[in-house]
Amino acid sequence: MGSRKKGHYKAHDKYFHRAKSEGYRARSAYKLKEIIARYRIVKRGDLVLDVGAAPGSFLQVLKEVVGSEGHVIGIDLKEIEPIEGVETVVGDVFDYRPEGKFDVITSDLAPQTTGIKFIDNDDSVELNMATLEICKKHLNDGGRAVFKIFQSNEMKKFIDAAKRVFKLVHLVKPDAVRSTSTEIYVVCSGKG
Ligand SMILES: C[S@@+](CC[C@H](N)C(=O)[O-])C[C@H]1O[C@@H](n2cnc3c(N)ncnc32)[C@H](O)[C@@H]1O
């Protein structure tokens, strides 16, 4: 490992250690916290669906924000260790049909990467297109959503589709995302 890389990992270790000491299951917690602080997309009392939720750090953050008046459901291919007050489901986003409607849908879905860029980028787009279909049917009018996607030429298909569903679409790279990572978040509000 070169010295530049070493320095980079050192800087970002702070989120790993912070997650450990603050009881979050993954450093991703700080990505969602930053997005919520900047865009106010989750509020007390909200009903939230989180897809690609394992091991559950987004769920922990979401539960803190919505409080006891709200409700959070997490779905993943993998089993999620129980979190008090949070409902979890084992399922595949491509055939998951939730019941009812939500105020917010968050996705941190990531495909199993092959190392072949255009395949990984396409897989990331397809996961997000499947989540967007869930948003169309299961988000309340005016609803909000967050999607993680690999930054690429292929992502344009998804951004264009998201713009047809939401009034506002912002791209954001939270500080807790490693600078070497191509992942970014698409923050959407005003579902039509
Ligand atoms: C980066 S992790 C999510 C981390 C999580 N947000 C947290 O904060 O703990 C991405 C997840 O997407 C899940 N995933 C990938 N493809 C999926 C699919 N088709 N349906 C449901 N979950 C999927 C993976 O199993 C993995 O747990």
Side-chain angles (χ1 to χ4, degrees):
M1 193 187 272
S3 60
R4 201 168 147 256
K5 219 167 181 184
K6 240 186 228 162
H8 168 76
Y9 276 97
K10 219 181 218 168
H12 278 261
D13 270 349
K14 73 174 184 206
Y15 290 109
F16 175 82
H17 292 298
R18 220 175 127 188
K20 279 235 172 299
S21 72
E22 294 180 0
Y24 291 113
R25 294 178 180 184
R27 60 207 295 293
S28 330
Y30 301 101
K31 303 174 191 172
L32 185 61
K33 274 177 179 273
E34 182 180 327
I35 291 168
I36 293 173
R38 281 173 68 180
Y39 295 95
R40 306 271 160 215
I41 51 137
V42 188
K43 302 185 179 77
R44 203 162 185 81
D46 275 346
L47 299 179
V48 187
L49 173 68
D50 182 39
V51 298
S57 80
F58 270 31
L59 295 175
Q60 292 175 292
V61 171
L62 290 166
K63 183 63 198 160
E64 280 168 21
V65 177
V66 305
S68 53
E69 309 97 280
H71 190 61
V72 180
I73 302 177
I75 171 223
D76 201 287
L77 294 171
K78 297 178 207 150
E79 189 107 32
I80 300 164
E81 289 291 314
I83 297 172
E84 206 183 325
V86 171
E87 196 179 325
T88 58
V89 179
V90 174
D92 187 330
V93 74
F94 289 106
D95 53 34
Y96 178 59
R97 299 286 167 266
E99 275 174 32
K101 294 227 173 187
F102 298 88
D103 301 303
V104 186
I105 296 181
T106 55
S107 164
D108 198 26
L109 283 164
Q112 197 130 46
T113 51
T114 61
I116 303 167
K117 284 285 169 221
F118 77 91
I119 294 178
D120 296 341
N121 294 340
D122 271 346
D123 288 349
S124 169
V125 168
E126 291 315 316
L127 286 170
N128 281 299
M129 293 302 281
T131 308
L132 191 61
E133 285 307 308
I134 298 176
C135 290
K136 285 184 195 169
K137 295 189 189 108
H138 296 279
L139 255 190
N140 288 322
D141 287 349
R144 296 144 263 146
V146 176
F147 306 84
K148 178 170 77 183
I149 195 160
F150 296 160
Q151 202 160 16
S152 65
N153 293 332
E154 292 84 349
M155 81 176 189
K156 188 179 179 316
K157 172 182 166 187
F158 173 72
I159 302 295
D160 288 347
K163 284 181 177 165
R164 290 194 286 273
V165 177
F166 296 95
K167 283 201 185 79
L168 293 176
V169 174
H170 297 283
L171 299 187
V172 49
K173 185 157 181 156
D175 188 55
V177 173
R178 296 180 200 280
S179 58
T180 49
S181 165
T182 64
E183 71 182 36
I184 53 164
Y185 289 81
V186 186
V187 180
C188 303
S189 56
K191 190 223 165 198

